[in-house]
Amino acid sequence: MISALVYADEAAVGYDDLSAARQAAGTTWVHVAEATDEEIAAVQSAFDLHPLAIEDLRGDVRAKTEEFQTYTFVLLNALSLSPGETSFEKVVATRPVGIFIGTDWVVTLGTGPAGPVQRVMDAAERGDERLLQRGPDFTACRAVDVIVDAYFDLLDEIETDIEEIEDEVTVSTDSETIENINEVRRDLLSFRKQVWPAREAVGVLARGDPQEVQPQTEKYFRDIYDHLVQLVDLTETYRDLVSGARDIYLNTVSQSTNEVMKTLTVVATIFIPLTFVAGVYGMNFAGGPYNMPELSWRYGYPAAMLVMGLIAAVMLVHFRRRDYL
Amino acid sequence: MISALVYADEAAVGYDDLSAARQAAGTTWVHVAEATDEEIAAVQSAFDLHPLAIEDLRGDVRAKTEEFQTYTFVLLNALSLSPGETSFEKVVATRPVGIFIGTDWVVTLGTGPAGPVQRVMDAAERGDERLLQRGPDFTACRAVDVIVDAYFDLLDEIETDIEEIEDEVTVSTDSETIENINEVRRDLLSFRKQVWPAREAVGVLARGDPQEVQPQTEKYFRDIYDHLVQLVDLTETYRDLVSGARDIYLNTVSQSTNEVMKTLTVVATIFIPLTFVAGVYGMNFAGGPYNMPELSWRYGYPAAMLVMGLIAAVMLVHFRRRDYL
Amino acid sequence: MISALVYADEAAVGYDDLSAARQAAGTTWVHVAEATDEEIAAVQSAFDLHPLAIEDLRGDVRAKTEEFQTYTFVLLNALSLSPGETSFEKVVATRPVGIFIGTDWVVTLGTGPAGPVQRVMDAAERGDERLLQRGPDFTACRAVDVIVDAYFDLLDEIETDIEEIEDEVTVSTDSETIENINEVRRDLLSFRKQVWPAREAVGVLARGDPQEVQPQTEKYFRDIYDHLVQLVDLTETYRDLVSGARDIYLNTVSQSTNEVMKTLTVVATIFIPLTFVAGVYGMNFAGGPYNMPELSWRYGYPAAMLVMGLIAAVMLVHFRRRDYL
Amino acid sequence: MISALVYADEAAVGYDDLSAARQAAGTTWVHVAEATDEEIAAVQSAFDLHPLAIEDLRGDVRAKTEEFQTYTFVLLNALSLSPGETSFEKVVATRPVGIFIGTDWVVTLGTGPAGPVQRVMDAAERGDERLLQRGPDFTACRAVDVIVDAYFDLLDEIETDIEEIEDEVTVSTDSETIENINEVRRDLLSFRKQVWPAREAVGVLARGDPQEVQPQTEKYFRDIYDHLVQLVDLTETYRDLVSGARDIYLNTVSQSTNEVMKTLTVVATIFIPLTFVAGVYGMNFAGGPYNMPELSWRYGYPAAMLVMGLIAAVMLVHFRRRDYL
Amino acid sequence: MISALVYADEAAVGYDDLSAARQAAGTTWVHVAEATDEEIAAVQSAFDLHPLAIEDLRGDVRAKTEEFQTYTFVLLNALSLSPGETSFEKVVATRPVGIFIGTDWVVTLGTGPAGPVQRVMDAAERGDERLLQRGPDFTACRAVDVIVDAYFDLLDEIETDIEEIEDEVTVSTDSETIENINEVRRDLLSFRKQVWPAREAVGVLARGDPQEVQPQTEKYFRDIYDHLVQLVDLTETYRDLVSGARDIYLNTVSQSTNEVMKTLTVVATIFIPLTFVAGVYGMNFAGGPYNMPELSWRYGYPAAMLVMGLIAAVMLVHFRRRDYL
């Protein structure tokens, strides 16, 4: 999956041989997607790349910009969200892409599946994008740009999750909800872990520190840097939103307990006194004029029922006023 | 909606042709409100503005100050609050305004509806504001000033919401209240997201870094910078107030549950023992001198009622002392 | 309320005319308390003060030190607490004081009511304080010192409130308590908002950045700077204390709910089983040897009462052991 | 346990005498594991090491890099987790390792049991690792590398604990769970306390500040530095995960209380009204046509039971709708 | 309590006269413990100390290092914990110690009771400590060392309190416990307030900024600086532990409420239905074959009791399964 392109005399020509491509006059771009170990070794020897940089492409390494003797090495992680076990669990998959910027060549090396950089290469091969005539640093800038642009899609997905959760928290007391909230928090943590170092790495390029970055390209890197600053900002804002959603959820749960307590209180405080009254007239006192004469009154029973009804009515009014019903 | 004004020989003259306005001797100010794509293109070519700067005017970009070869570009977002779906939901609408400060010209470009900068232009055209005779940087400073001043109005609106909420939280246990609190928190987040970069952008001008800013104008930019520092401060203070209001709300809810519990406890603890007593005298023991002789005492019933009344009275006193009533 | 004093030949002489005072040989100090617009204008023209600095004296501006061509401008806010509506609501009133330090003159301008600086001027007029012979910067240092000293009184008042609250939170479950806590938190926020910029402003003088500050005076400014650092520290500590008090309050409320629940639980769990027993012997089964023969036992009733007493006693012991009583 | 190795003429030779090893031409590496006081004294005098550095090896000292006259001293703590009293209580055992980098010699001194550095020495003695031919700084870099690599194992153990806890918190309301959460939090605190200074110490080497570090070795130190940055990041992320787990646990407890309340509410609100109805028909009113005629109706009892059954059914439907059952 | 010691010709000689001691050839150390105003004045005039530095010794001033014309002034607070009103309330008593480092003299001035510095002076007078031959800066370093060492004792006391609290929180729901937690938090706040500035003050010496500090002494100051960094670290860790203990306490309280609720729920849900059944058979329906025929069944009563027993058994099993018992 090695693509090699040399731009010279206002035309871009594809090459099969890497050494030839490097030595050809003009600006050379070599891109490898889903690089195998052999391909990496071939590119490494053709462009004399440092073993430490190559090793970084294999592990779970933070984005960085490192200046070597003859080139500048930019490591970025292309990100994609793949669904996890639960609906809000996302796995942030990282595919490291190494960008080596030389004086008249640029190498982009990806070990994962072909991503946005491949599409730029395809367009360049078709002649749709005139990157190479603006120099290897501009080509690298474009590669960085498409990787960072994809971050926004990822953050959009997370935002959709947050919106879903914000709708959920006002009505649900399921303990699943708080687990969902935690999943999104986790996603944001993973995302932030990637964006922070990316911002630093691009910042170095935007300041034009490496000699391979020409003054007129700095502005374009600064533009990407602005995007990364915005991404970091958004991540922080989303963290705040998630913790706001958590507050609302906890309040919903606590409101629900409150509601349950009110139901119990209303029913119990109305019927317990009534049951007491009924209990009184169930007593078996007998044997004298002072022992429960009301039991034998003509309207004793209706009167007792009326009294109980009144008690209940008064309580209901009281509870409605205190907003328990 | 292009307005072009050239100040020379102590008088400001309006121009129709942009190139003529630029080349005319004196200080030129070109302002475009609700700029269409054609108008932007015209201004861009007349003043040779960088495509990246023009692009920034179209998106949701953070405020910034960027120095170009022949001019300094200041991007600020004019803000306005428009009502959202609920009473506390506000939508912070941003209308980017680009300010290009040249050596003897200044261009102010707004893509949104005419805002405060238009009013300054109107006053300058009427001759009410003598901006241009103090140079293009002073004119730019005035434009920045009116945009930042409008931030205070916005923060005032948020403050009114906070005050309303602070009154609400001490009495309401509605779950809508916590959603309102979250809305205001959200508004503050949006606002802070705008003010922080604006502070940085104006800070660059206040330090006089760009060569287009003359020493005597720095003080005026520093004044605006002080305003922005104050806005950032206020935002932080308001965030603290909102989280204080949230504490009070949660306490109100928890107090309300406590109140409900107390009602239940008082009624239940008074009547449950009484019901037991009534239950005892409802038992059907019979058949001997030791089986409930009190049932046939002459004053058995009044005595039982008295005992129950006493029990109730003691409990009421107890509850009043413990502040349950 | 303009006081003008010129120190020359080891004696301080009062002047009525500002211009004469300025031009007189020696060190000049002009102090204005409760300055009217006319007085400000007079001082401004006599000492050629910048309009922006004068404007800062009128609004709600953060403390700052700004260097002008011929003088250094220090803006400080004299603070005083006035009682608000509730017992813990304090209004932090700010009275801006402008201190202009020239090479052989110093101007102190206060728009609010006469404060501590006036007392220093009075002492200087009486000859009690030998400030002017140590230079205008030392005089300014003294003015800054008395303003900052008053901050400690204010913080003492807040500390008294905190101590009152700390006593309250362990016993009270009033929702007013949490509002008091919030009031104090608010006061600390207002105070911090004033102290932070004051620290920065004095820090500039303590480092001796402005040329008007002589090396031997720096130490005295550093002393005031140390005080301001201590004030900032104390404010942070007090914020921690207030949030500690809030924790105790919330715990008191939650303990109180717990207490209410225990009361209910004890009474209900003792009497509900007893009522059940009484209910059993209130049943009307009859018609055979197996139907409630205990009702006609000779000691049925005393036995039943004994059993109920035993049940109650066992429960009471159980509850006492679990610390419910 | 002193091992001394001198690399010269493309071969590594072991030495018994320390002074001879130091003076021999070539690169010298002296490693001491489980160093006794005598061994330390021998090495100290042979290489002229500063008493303060030697003292640091004995106490509980933070990792650091210190430059001395003739060598650079790096102190790192090798870490290992040993099980504590409870299942989640871990004791982070620290074994300080001192690394002294000279111009043509390197000394690694460990007071604790032989750790990963010993294994590197063993490999070097067997000729498996060609460290010394790349200089003493590269040898030191390798020693630092194996110590830092072991940090990841430790963090993995903590991660396993966190995963176990995350499974636990959704089902358990045991108060032991929150103690486990706190144990892990404690472990992370201990770990962070070690990693932060290690990052700083290696950062000094990665920047190539000490003269003993050659430019080509800097990259390798920077690689280790990147690992330490990642460790710090992970620690922060794990702290966030633990506090998320704590939120879920607290919610589980609060859900459980809610569940208990619902059970009580359902049973009590269904049976209390029914008991009241039963109580009414247990009353002893008699003596007239209006006194409880329903008692003598032919279908009075079945009707009463039916009414009670209906009441119960209505309530059950109500509770099911409100999701109490 | 003035002790004056001059080291010259390899011997330390005590002096009574301060001026003589200062002018004597060799290194002079003057130490004053429990200094009276007269003693301070004597030392101040003999060594020409600045009034501001002397004043700092009297108040509640933060630790600092200040460079004067002819000497460097280090202010440290010796700390001691004295018991307060409650068992966990500690009063952090501060005794300021001023250390003035000249080129060939050092003055240590303490206004509080004799502390660790006095013990160093005693040892020096006995000839046990050879400080002065290593210069006045080394003597000062030793004085700083013993003061900072005492900080560790203090932190140990606080640690003991934290351990006591950690044992307490898992079992106690006393509201005293949270007050104890707050006391320890307060102690840590007071301690941190002292350690932070001490770290800064010693940091200045460790960097060797003052000219009185010789290069070979810097390392010893750096060692003390490391101790102070460790103290700051420990303080932060302890704050985290205390807030962890608070979490466990709040959980214990909430578990206890849960426990109370469960007791109530179990008893009430078992007996309320039973009481209802008893109530049913206490009804007085009569007058037909459908009115409670079970009352006259031969085994009616035993059957009713059996049914009630079954209901209770089923519920008990249910509650045991749901872990309520």
Side-chain angles (χ1 to χ4, degrees), chain C residues 17-134:
Chain C
D17 183 57
L18 284 177
S19 304
R22 186 181 179 177
Q23 272 138 27
T27 307
T28 307
W29 179 17
V30 172
H31 174 67
V32 196
E34 297 184 67
T36 61
D37 283 358
E38 293 78 39
E39 288 169 345
I40 291 176
V43 174
Q44 186 181 354
S45 77
F47 289 89
D48 202 20
L49 307 177
H50 198 282
L52 272 180
I54 295 300
E55 203 181 287
D56 283 340
L57 290 173
R58 285 191 180 109
D60 179 24
V61 180
R62 292 158 51 96
K64 63 176 168 185
T65 294
E66 225 167 318
E67 292 175 57
F68 284 81
Q69 204 71 30
T70 53
Y71 54 88
T72 293
F73 169 53
V74 184
L75 179 77
L76 279 181
N77 286 307
L79 300 179
S80 59
L81 275 187
S82 44
E85 279 167 44
T86 67
S87 59
F88 287 96
E89 197 189 329
K90 298 276 159 43
V91 179
V92 175
T94 62
R95 287 168 289 115
V97 177
I99 301 168
F100 302 82
I101 317 172
T103 39
D104 65 346
W105 54 269
V106 59
V107 169
T108 48
L109 247 171
T111 51
V117 183
Q118 183 64 52
R119 283 194 292 278
V120 176
M121 178 45 114
D122 293 345
E125 285 181 328
R126 283 196 312 272
D128 289 353
E129 288 223 41
R130 276 146 208 257
L131 299 166
L132 288 171
Q133 68 199 80
R134 300 180 74 171

Side-chain angles (χ1 to χ4, degrees), chain E residues 54-72:
Chain E
I54 294 300
E55 202 180 289
D56 282 340
L57 290 173
R58 286 195 178 105
D60 180 23
V61 180
R62 291 158 52 95
K64 63 176 169 185
T65 294
E66 224 169 318
E67 292 176 56
F68 284 81
Q69 204 71 28
T70 54
Y71 55 88
T72 292

Side-chain angles (χ1 to χ4, degrees), chain D residues 169-214:
Chain D
V169 287
T170 56
V171 291
S172 158
T173 60
D174 268 13
S175 64
E176 206 188 311
T177 306
I178 197 141
E179 287 171 46
N180 288 345
I181 289 173
N182 248 41
E183 289 302 342
V184 173
R185 230 167 84 169
R186 234 172 221 275
D187 295 344
L188 283 170
L189 278 178
S190 305
F191 187 70
R192 190 177 60 157
K193 220 175 85 185
Q194 297 295 340
V195 177
W196 270 92
R199 195 183 69 161
E200 293 317 301
V202 174
V204 170
L205 300 166
R207 282 195 309 272
D209 288 359
Q211 56 183 16
E212 285 85 7
V213 177
Q214 300 173 71

Side-chain angles (χ1 to χ4, degrees), chain B residues 61-102:
Chain B
V61 181
R62 293 157 51 96
K64 63 177 168 183
T65 293
E66 225 168 317
E67 292 175 56
F68 284 80
Q69 205 70 30
T70 53
Y71 55 88
T72 292
F73 169 52
V74 184
L75 179 77
L76 278 182
N77 286 307
L79 300 180
S80 59
L81 275 186
S82 45
E85 279 167 45
T86 66
S87 60
F88 287 96
E89 197 190 329
K90 297 274 159 44
V91 179
V92 176
T94 61
R95 287 168 288 115
V97 177
I99 301 168
F100 302 81
I101 317 173

Side-chain angles (χ1 to χ4, degrees), chain A residues 21-288:
Chain A
R22 186 181 180 179
Q23 272 138 27
T27 307
T28 307
W29 178 18
V30 172
H31 175 66
V32 196
E34 295 183 68
T36 60
D37 283 358
E38 293 77 41
E39 288 169 345
I40 291 176
V43 174
Q44 184 180 356
S45 77
F47 289 89
D48 201 21
L49 307 177
H50 198 283
L52 271 181
I54 295 300
E55 201 181 289
D56 283 340
L57 289 174
R58 286 193 179 107
D60 180 24
V61 180
R62 292 157 52 96
K64 62 176 169 184
T65 293
E66 223 167 319
E67 292 176 56
F68 283 82
Q69 204 70 30
T70 54
Y71 54 89
T72 292
F73 169 52
V74 184
L75 179 77
L76 279 181
N77 287 306
L79 300 180
S80 59
L81 275 187
S82 44
E85 280 168 44
T86 67
S87 60
F88 288 96
E89 196 190 330
K90 299 273 158 46
V91 180
V92 176
T94 62
R95 286 169 289 115
V97 176
I99 301 168
F100 302 83
I101 317 171
T103 39
D104 65 347
W105 55 268
V106 60
V107 169
T108 48
L109 247 171
T111 50
V117 183
Q118 183 64 52
R119 284 194 291 278
V120 176
M121 178 44 114
D122 294 346
E125 285 181 329
R126 285 195 311 271
D128 289 353
E129 288 222 42
R130 278 148 207 254
L131 299 166
L132 287 170
Q133 67 198 81
R134 300 179 74 170
D137 55 341
F138 190 82
T139 308
C141 181
R142 189 82 184 89
V144 171
D145 195 23
V146 291
I147 292 171
V148 170
D149 267 358
Y151 289 3
F152 280 98
D153 301 340
L154 206 130
L155 208 56
D156 278 354
E157 277 190 62
I158 295 179
E159 200 195 357
T160 313
D161 285 359
I162 292 175
E163 274 163 15
E164 222 171 291
I165 277 173
E166 286 187 329
D167 289 347
E168 206 177 308
V169 287
T170 56
V171 291
S172 158
T173 60
D174 268 12
S175 64
E176 206 188 312
T177 307
I178 196 139
E179 287 171 46
N180 288 345
I181 289 173
N182 249 40
E183 287 303 343
V184 173
R185 230 168 84 170
R186 233 172 220 275
D187 295 343
L188 283 170
L189 278 178
S190 305
F191 187 70
R192 190 179 59 158
K193 219 175 85 186
Q194 298 294 342
V195 177
W196 270 93
R199 195 183 68 162
E200 293 317 302
V202 174
V204 171
L205 300 165
R207 281 196 308 272
D209 288 359
Q211 57 183 16
E212 285 84 8
V213 176
Q214 300 172 72
Q216 69 266 33
T217 318
E218 279 175 38
K219 278 199 196 323
Y220 294 91
F221 276 120
R222 219 176 301 149
D223 219 57
I224 305 174
Y225 179 73
D226 283 351
H227 289 166
L228 283 163
V229 168
Q230 202 178 346
L231 282 166
V232 166
D233 263 25
L234 279 172
T235 315
E236 293 309 307
T237 304
Y238 287 172
R239 277 166 63 94
D240 261 7
L241 293 185
V242 168
S243 94
R246 186 178 133 277
D247 278 5
I248 293 186
Y249 168 73
L250 291 179
N251 186 57
T252 307
V253 170
S254 136
Q255 292 278 5
S256 146
T257 307
N258 202 2
E259 214 55 44
V260 172
M261 293 304 305
K262 279 181 181 166
T263 309
L264 175 59
T265 300
V266 167
V267 172
T269 39
I270 289 178
F271 283 101
I272 287 179
L274 299 189
T275 304
F276 164 67
V277 172
V280 165
Y281 293 108
M283 296 194 297
N284 297 322
F285 283 99

